[in-house]
Amino acid sequence: MTVTVIFLSFLVMLAIMMLGLPIAVIMAIMGAFGGVLTFGWPLLDSTGPVMWSVMNENLLTAIPLFILLGEVMLRSGMADRMYGALAIWLDRLPGGLLHTNIGCCALFAATSGSSVATAATIGTVATPALNERGYDQAKSLGSIAAGGTLGILIPPSVNMLIYGSMSETSIGQLFIAGIIPGLLLTACFMIYIAISNLSDHQPATNIIPIGVKLRALTALIPPAIIFGIVMGSIYAGIATPTESAALGVVAALIMAGLDGHLSLDFFNRCFMNTAKTTGMVLMIILAAFILNVTLSLTGVAQTMTEYVTSLGISTTVLLIILIVFYIILGMFMDVLSMMVLTIPIAVPVVVAAGVDPLWFGIFIILMCELGMITPPVGMNLYVVHGVRGDNGPFMDVVRGAFPYVIIMIAFTGLLIAFPAIVTWLPQTMYGP
């Protein structure tokens, strides 16, 4: 298969997406249609076993478990208490509650695994306080939208599970690899907020006694325990990612029960939202694997690898090209679709160029983060706009999020220059 045919096929898929058809339907049709055209109807005989094996993949069981974990935390009020505790400690910094937005997003991300859930939860909790104190709308909404993207970088992450399953990369190592970049990106966001608000008038706040501040920290204990159970069990080697997710759910349910939140309505809300989100995710993954059967048999990945190698470009130039490619793609495609569509082709190409697939996993997650806050299809932008509560202009969110797009691109450049930021911790824990 020539490179021209590959690009034309990709453009056809994008064009069909613009018509509004579900991405899962498009990938399944393209996979089946392309396979039948190339190999005839017998190809469909091999598609059935692939679909069966994907849906029986034990690793994918972690996806609904991590989604359920985030739902339990949201419905039990943990996010509200986290926000209140961090507001007490960070309110007096330049930028005030904007730091609380980022910090609370980072903490919630460490247990939810979803950017959309993080942005929606923290946005719902934060916007009343921000509006009451007169914060600039663009800065407030932009910090929530950008902070929400940390949900797929700071482990555990549903997107890391998907990347690991599709690229055959260790999920445990991916989770560990995301810790330092996640913390550094959080720090970069907060440094930007502090610098950009140095000269701004901050809403007056009362001095809070240290005793009150220390007591408020108790609200951070439940999410810290859950994060410790999930990540600790993986690192200690006593649980797989799926088992650690189950342990996290059990711990969250126990804490919710101790707070008196367990009820039939509580379980109904948690399980219904988990089922809806899981159904959407797994349908896209299943369709992606159907497409991958055709891609594998037609040698698309090998053709693209040979083509890129023949260009003679350096690894750095290749990664810069991929940054531009993913930024453009993220403007018109949702994050999950972007991942499952490009991973089968991109991973063999970058591995042939000498890029560590573990490092590339974090790179792709960062590109997905960019896609979540770049219009016109930036999901976090719409989520935050939907929970703002005042029906203001959508451009407020776009303007507020734009500086964070620049920060994330610069941060990606930092990872390219110093790949050990990603690889050092997993190599230290797991060995080279």
Side-chain angles (χ1 to χ4, degrees):
M1 180 176 287
T2 66
V3 174
T4 303
V5 173
I6 294 172
F7 279 119
L8 286 176
S9 301
F10 188 76
L11 291 175
V12 168
M13 289 190 64
L14 288 180
I16 297 175
M17 289 176 192
M18 299 302 175
L19 300 177
L21 286 177
I23 180 63
V25 174
I26 296 171
M27 287 192 293
I29 291 175
M30 290 293 290
F33 183 70
V36 169
L37 280 181
T38 307
F39 299 101
W41 291 104
L43 177 79
L44 297 182
D45 293 336
S46 62
T47 303
V50 170
M51 296 171 63
W52 178 258
S53 63
V54 170
M55 290 297 99
N56 281 277
E57 174 61 52
N58 180 60
L59 179 61
L60 296 183
T61 308
I63 292 176
L65 288 172
F66 279 123
I67 295 172
L68 178 59
L69 176 57
E71 285 291 330
V72 171
M73 289 190 63
L74 169 61
R75 306 296 172 185
S76 63
M78 290 187 196
D80 299 76
R81 295 190 290 274
M82 278 194 297
Y83 193 87
L86 288 179
I88 291 175
W89 280 90
L90 303 176
D91 195 22
R92 298 187 66 82
L93 294 175
L97 289 181
L98 302 183
H99 290 287
T100 307
N101 294 344
I102 300 297
C104 205
C105 282
L107 282 177
F108 193 79
T111 49
S112 72
S114 167
S115 283
V116 172
T118 301
T121 301
I122 305 306
T124 303
V125 173
T127 47
L130 293 164
N131 293 337
E132 181 182 342
R133 300 195 190 186
Y135 279 81
D136 178 80
Q137 284 289 334
K139 289 183 177 181
S140 301
L141 299 172
S143 66
I144 298 171
T149 65
L150 297 170
I152 59 174
L153 179 59
I154 298 177
S157 165
V158 171
N159 292 64
M160 287 184 185
L161 285 167
I162 295 170
Y163 175 84
S165 66
M166 295 190 69
S167 64
E168 298 183 356
T169 305
S170 167
I171 302 298
Q173 292 191 41
L174 277 170
F175 281 0
I176 299 298
I179 293 176
I180 292 179
L183 294 177
L184 284 178
L185 187 58
T186 301
C188 289
F189 286 170
M190 297 181 77
I191 290 171
Y192 161 72
I193 289 172
I195 294 174
S196 63
N197 288 276
L198 279 174
S199 59
D200 290 356
H201 171 72
Q202 297 298 318
T205 55
N206 298 322
I207 298 177
I208 300 173
I210 189 64
V212 175
K213 287 187 173 183
L214 292 175
R215 284 194 295 273
L217 289 178
T218 57
L220 305 183
I221 294 176
I225 292 175
I226 294 172
F227 180 79
I229 290 173
V230 173
M231 296 304 298
S233 59
I234 293 176
Y235 172 58
I238 61 176
T240 64
T242 301
E243 293 165 344
S244 69
L247 290 173
V249 170
V250 171
L253 287 173
I254 291 173
M255 293 174 188
L258 293 175
D259 288 335
H261 289 284
L262 299 187
S263 65
L264 287 177
D265 181 65
F266 174 86
F267 283 114
N268 180 61
R269 289 174 177 268
C270 290
F271 291 149
M272 286 296 292
N273 286 332
T274 299
K276 290 177 182 177
T277 306
T278 301
M280 176 198 70
V281 172
L282 292 184
M283 279 296 293
I284 292 176
I285 293 175
L286 178 61
F289 274 92
I290 293 174
L291 178 61
N292 288 349
V293 172
T294 299
L295 294 179
S296 299
L297 293 176
T298 53
V300 169
Q302 182 180 354
T303 301
M304 288 301 300
T305 300
E306 293 173 352
Y307 174 72
V308 172
T309 304
S310 68
L311 295 177
I313 58 177
S314 67
T315 302
T316 301
V317 173
L318 173 61
L319 292 173
I320 292 173
I321 293 173
L322 285 174
I323 290 175
V324 175
F325 170 73
Y326 275 112
I327 289 175
I328 296 173
L329 199 62
M331 292 180 180
F332 304 101
M333 190 180 294
D334 69 272
V335 168
L336 186 56
S337 304
M338 185 167 64
M339 283 190 67
V340 299
L341 192 60
T342 60
I343 286 174
I345 299 175
V347 172
V349 170
V350 297
V351 169
V355 177
D356 186 338
L358 182 66
W359 182 93
F360 190 66
I362 302 303
F363 174 89
I364 281 191
I365 295 299
L366 279 168
M367 294 301 99
C368 290
E369 286 187 311
L370 279 170
M372 302 202 80
I373 55 174
T374 50
V377 190
M379 187 61 69
N380 275 20
L381 300 178
Y382 291 99
V383 168
V384 173
H385 178 67
V387 301
R388 66 184 296 179
D390 62 357
N391 296 318
F394 177 69
M395 284 304 298
D396 282 348
V397 194
V398 177
R399 286 191 296 108
F402 180 75
Y404 298 95
V405 172
I406 304 302
I407 292 171
M408 290 163 68
I409 293 174
F411 184 76
T412 305
L414 181 67
L415 296 189
I416 293 174
F418 303 99
I421 294 174
V422 173
T423 58
W424 175 79
L425 191 57
Q427 286 177 355
T428 301
M429 291 184 170
Y430 290 92

